[in-house]
């Protein structure tokens, strides 16, 4: 497998207006900012993009706006996850027709799915499109934990599944995927605090919302890994680790990233209810972390 996606795969937010409509202008601005900073791919409509909180028409608008704004400057992988197979298939088809390079699928369920049901869900999506699928394992949000042997089985038996995003935070999962496939399955880290270890373990890329706030450090980590400079990679990773830990541990991705963007001068609105904006106390902490990590002036103070 030759991965089309590699390096820093950035997750944009879905900005909202004051009445909770889609703010297309802010979405375009955030995408342009990250591409200008040098990210290697854009991944709209993941957890950071509040995909689970959008209506179908909002999802369609966001997907099309994001894909068009990227304009083939970098690859685009669109999160098409949905509670039902029928709507996941609909979204996958929409993303492909809109010009996505791949789709990312997290199995979401109310009832706990067994492996047969998960396999059938992915197979139905794969049969409906011709572009690659990134299998996404994140039991913290989906409630479903796909073990490495089962993931390897799906990659082997479902042609369109060509890559895996692993977000359990367990580095052993990545080692197992590597061993089960003799290093042939491209896997991607989805756990920010695991970025350094994941690259050392052979991760093809890092799927992260952090480039919204600290793209330079994220890219420096990848560059150091590519150059074989482990001491340099370790240093730049530890420099950014406090912010990476804060992003995932204080209020959730959408509130934290939107607060950070506002600190940088881009108002992406509030997260959609029932999510709440980051508290004033945490905004102050985030602002201090960002100031520590960058010499760039911020337009807004906490």
């Amino acid at each position: 497998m030759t991965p089309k996606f590699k390096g820093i795969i950035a997750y944009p937010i879905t900005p909202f207006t004051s009445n909770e409509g889609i703010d297309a202008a802010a979405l375009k601005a955030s995408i342009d900012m990250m591409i200008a900073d040098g990210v290697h791919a854009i991944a709209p409509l993941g957890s950071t993009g509040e995909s689970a909180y959008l209506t179908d028409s909002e999802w369609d608008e966001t997907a099309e706006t994001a894909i068009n704004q990227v304009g083939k400057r970098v690859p685009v992988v669109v999160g098409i996850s949905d509670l039902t197979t029928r709507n996941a298939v609909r979204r996958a088809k929409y993303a492909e027709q809109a010009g996505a390079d791949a789709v990312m699928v997290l199995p979401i369920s109310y009832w706990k799915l067994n492996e047969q049901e998960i396999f059938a869900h992915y197979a139905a999506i794969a049969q409906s499109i011709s572009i690659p699928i990134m299998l996404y394992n994140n039991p913290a949000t989906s409630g479903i934990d796909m073990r490495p042997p089962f993931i390897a089985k799906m990659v082997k038996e479902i042609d369109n599944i060509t890559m895996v995003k692993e977000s359990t935070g367990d580095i052993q999962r990545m080692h197992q995927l590597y061993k089960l496939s003799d290093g042939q399955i491209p896997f991607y880290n989805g756990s920010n605090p695991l970025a350094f270890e994941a690259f050392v373990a052979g991760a093809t890329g890092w799927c992260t919302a952090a480039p919204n706030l600290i793209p330079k450090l994220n890219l420096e980590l990848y560059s150091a890994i590519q150059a074989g400079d482990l001491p340099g990679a370790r240093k730049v990773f530890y420099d950014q680790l406090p912010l990476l830990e804060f992003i995932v541990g204080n209020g959730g991705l959408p509130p934290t990233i939107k607060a950070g963007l506002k600190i940088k001068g881009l108002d992406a609105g509030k997260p959609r209810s029932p999510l709440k904006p980051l508290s004033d106390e945490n905004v102050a902490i985030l602002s201090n972390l960002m100031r520590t990590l960058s010499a760039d002036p911020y337009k807004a103070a906490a």
Side-chain angles (χ1 to χ4, degrees):
M1 299 179 184
T2 303
K4 183 171 186 175
F5 293 85
K6 56 185 177 182
I8 304 301
I9 301 168
Y11 284 83
I13 39 75
T14 298
F16 297 124
T17 60
S18 58
N19 63 355
E20 289 202 355
I22 303 298
D23 187 340
L27 175 59
K28 293 175 182 178
S30 71
I31 288 171
D32 283 346
M33 180 175 64
M34 289 192 288
I35 293 176
D37 286 328
V39 301
H40 303 106
I42 295 290
L45 293 164
S47 302
T48 305
E50 299 178 72
S51 177
Y53 298 96
L54 303 180
T55 65
D56 282 343
S57 62
E58 289 173 332
W59 188 96
D60 292 351
E61 178 185 354
T62 303
E64 189 165 2
T65 299
I67 293 166
N68 288 341
Q69 190 63 24
V70 172
K72 300 297 182 182
R73 289 177 286 174
V74 296
V76 179
V77 54
V78 177
I80 59 96
S81 308
D82 191 74
L83 194 64
T84 67
T85 300
R86 180 176 63 180
N87 204 39
V89 166
R90 187 200 72 80
R91 289 180 171 185
K93 289 180 176 179
Y94 191 97
E96 181 177 32
Q97 291 167 1
D101 297 285
V103 297
M104 180 178 68
V105 182
L106 177 74
I108 303 172
S109 73
Y110 178 84
W111 298 107
K112 187 175 178 63
L113 302 179
N114 60 39
E115 289 188 350
Q116 182 180 6
E117 291 166 330
I118 296 168
F119 189 99
H121 180 71
Y122 275 94
I125 295 167
Q127 289 166 9
S128 73
I129 57 175
S130 60
I131 56 177
I133 293 172
M134 176 183 284
L135 182 152
Y136 180 17
N137 189 41
N138 188 353
T141 56
S142 70
I144 296 172
D145 186 6
M146 296 179 284
R147 308 295 294 184
F150 178 59
I151 291 174
K153 170 184 169 67
M154 284 200 289
V155 173
K156 180 179 179 181
E157 298 183 10
I158 301 175
D159 289 343
N160 295 46
I161 300 179
T162 62
M163 46 193 163
V164 176
K165 178 185 174 186
E166 228 308 313
S167 295
T168 60
D170 179 359
I171 192 65
Q172 294 304 318
R173 298 293 187 94
M174 298 183 190
H175 292 314
Q176 290 170 36
L177 284 171
Y178 188 93
K179 290 190 294 183
L180 284 166
S181 69
D182 292 325
Q184 297 304 301
I185 297 178
F187 61 88
Y188 300 76
N189 173 51
S191 176
N192 281 338
L194 207 64
F196 175 72
E197 292 94 331
F199 277 131
V200 173
T204 300
W206 175 17
C207 301
T208 175
N212 286 279
L213 309 185
I214 52 168
K216 184 173 183 290
L217 288 170
N218 306 147
L219 290 159
E220 284 180 355
L221 172 59
Y222 180 68
S223 294
I225 289 290
Q226 291 299 104
D229 179 11
L230 290 186
R234 185 180 295 108
K235 181 185 183 304
V236 74
F237 171 70
Y238 282 127
D239 285 345
Q240 63 192 285
L241 183 57
L243 181 53
L244 296 177
E245 292 176 330
F246 184 89
I247 287 173
V248 298
N250 292 270
L253 282 167
T256 304
I257 298 300
K258 286 186 171 182
L261 285 171
K262 189 171 184 180
I263 291 168
K264 292 181 70 171
L266 177 61
D267 190 348
K270 298 177 181 179
R272 175 158 286 178
S273 301
L275 296 177
K276 297 299 180 186
L278 205 63
S279 69
D280 290 344
E281 178 184 3
N282 278 330
V283 169
I285 294 171
L286 178 60
S287 181
N288 287 334
L289 285 169
M290 290 170 63
R291 289 178 187 276
T292 299
L293 292 175
S294 176
D296 294 334
Y298 294 113
K299 297 178 181 179

